[in-house]
Amino acid sequence: VGPTGPGQTEALSVNFNGDIVGSQLSTAANSQVWVATLPNPAVFLKPLIANTQCDTTFLRVANNRTIVGVCPGLLGGKQGVIWNASNPAANPTRLMPLLLPEVGLRSNPTAINRNGEVAGVSIGALGTKAAGWPAGSGTAFAISNIFDGCMPVDLSEVYSSGKPVVALNCPNASGAMRGHAAVNGAGGYTHTLLPVPAGASRCVAVGVNNNFQYTGTCYFPGNVTKATFWNNATATPSTFALVPGVTSTTAFALNETAKVYVSYQDTSGNPAAAYWDPVGSFVTVIPPPPTYNNVYLADIAQDTIKVAFNSYAAGFYRCAIWSPSAGTQIIDNLLAGNACRLYAM
């Protein structure tokens, strides 16, 4: 699906319309981002500044066909931008930083929802603060109103007072990140610190769904981490502890049916993954393909129970998907390829 010609191509994100975005690496210093709107051929996306190359620091395509990415900016450094897959030859729109309480210098996107709304950070001389951008717009709104260093990680598609609910991490007094929920109201966004389980020192947020449920990872003594679920922003958290012999786990993602995908190392030290229902208190280990002993999660389906992952052996990755009904299914390599790696579904 990528551009023709020399160089390595990678497809990095796909939407419900079949729009695909990715990169083409022709030399170590020359990488270009592209969009393919099937069955049309791939088109390179224009940078903000002619003769510069946008990168894949954050490159996603939403269901409304908004593409978000990062390009070199006019004032130096990286700058968040959006394109639209329906007009891929057009110039990008700059994601403008917030103007108050100081004029921002640039922006950095960190999350996008399926509606095409973007969240990230506005960067100024005095620090950074969380910001959002409506679908298709480069005009920012504040998610945090002080230079608190908060960084959004996910945002809902269902609104509170006209804006998405945001899961974000903010530094405490010692600089350690802690998970928060940001909810819009009449006076703008207010932040709620996600409750910490008994015995944990802190938690970081990973995701929020359209029911305003949250998942993240909490830190315990002895370098132990536990995948954690909150039924709402003030609920007592549930921690994952359902695989015998496994001490540390991390949350990977949360879907719309309150199911959490979890990564961990199995008792043999191999990367592994599980599907966790914290409400029903059951877990299913996601099995790797035959002859493989590891699972690296890549992406999940939001509205159904399905996950894309990769397994690795003898120098090559193998692509697979898993669902409770079909189990693990291998995805064939392309043509004469001897390896496959998934990034999105």
Side-chain angles (χ1 to χ4, degrees):
V1 298
T4 59
Q8 175 179 311
T9 61
E10 292 183 318
L12 300 174
S13 181
V14 61
N15 65 12
F16 281 180
N17 304 302
D19 299 320
I20 301 167
V21 294
S23 69
Q24 182 181 55
L25 180 66
S26 55
T27 68
N30 185 16
S31 176
Q32 292 180 281
V33 295
W34 50 264
V35 58
T37 303
L38 301 178
N40 299 316
V43 175
F44 286 114
L45 297 168
K46 291 185 177 180
L48 270 178
I49 304 172
N51 301 316
T52 62
Q53 305 296 336
C54 304
D55 62 40
T56 57
T57 304
F58 188 79
L59 184 65
R60 305 286 190 276
V61 58
N63 288 343
N64 77 332
R65 311 194 76 185
T66 295
I67 303 167
V68 62
V70 179
C71 298
L74 296 171
L75 299 177
K78 301 294 185 180
Q79 171 65 58
V81 299
I82 54 173
W83 302 268
N84 195 290
S86 63
N87 188 15
N91 291 322
T93 297
R94 181 186 176 196
L95 295 177
M96 298 296 293
L98 293 162
L99 299 181
L100 294 173
E102 70 152 347
V103 176
L105 300 176
R106 56 192 180 91
S107 66
N108 182 35
T110 57
I112 185 172
N113 65 18
R114 290 178 291 180
N115 298 338
E117 293 150 324
V118 178
V121 294
S122 175
I123 304 169
L126 299 180
T128 66
K129 51 190 173 182
W133 294 265
S137 172
T139 302
F141 57 84
I143 297 174
S144 62
N145 293 312
I146 57 175
F147 296 105
D148 51 16
C150 293
M151 180 175 292
V153 293
D154 197 12
L155 61 167
S156 68
E157 288 112 18
V158 173
Y159 304 134
S160 172
S161 298
K163 288 187 172 67
V165 169
V166 181
L168 70 170
N169 294 306
C170 305
N172 61 14
S174 63
M177 287 296 198
R178 303 188 72 181
H180 290 71
V183 180
N184 190 50
Y189 274 90
T190 58
H191 292 197
T192 299
L193 180 67
L194 295 174
V196 177
S201 59
R202 65 185 179 95
C203 302
V204 293
V206 170
V208 59
N209 65 17
N210 290 333
N211 297 308
F212 307 154
Q213 298 164 313
Y214 301 83
T215 194
T217 300
C218 297
Y219 293 79
F220 292 79
N223 293 320
V224 172
T225 61
K226 294 183 180 181
T228 304
F229 170 81
W230 294 264
N231 200 43
N232 58 63
T234 60
T236 301
S238 302
T239 56
F240 179 91
L242 298 172
V243 177
V246 172
T247 302
S248 286
T249 58
T250 58
F252 176 79
L254 171 70
N255 73 7
E256 299 301 338
T257 61
K259 306 304 188 293
V260 181
Y261 294 87
V262 178
S263 296
Y264 60 94
Q265 284 190 337
D266 65 19
T267 54
S268 298
N270 300 309
Y275 153 75
W276 175 36
D277 181 348
V279 178
S281 296
F282 72 84
V283 63
T284 301
V285 173
I286 298 172
T291 75
Y292 290 81
N293 62 7
N294 53 72
V295 170
Y296 295 88
L297 294 176
D299 201 4
I300 69 165
Q302 289 293 330
D303 299 313
T304 188
I305 302 170
K306 185 173 288 187
V307 62
F309 68 91
N310 301 291
S311 293
Y312 182 83
F316 298 105
Y317 282 99
R318 185 78 185 200
C319 299
I321 57 175
W322 174 88
S323 67
S325 58
T328 294
Q329 298 174 286
I330 295 173
I331 297 177
D332 289 335
N333 299 332
L334 180 65
L335 301 177
N338 56 9
C340 167
R341 189 167 185 177
L342 292 177
Y343 291 100
M345 73 180 304

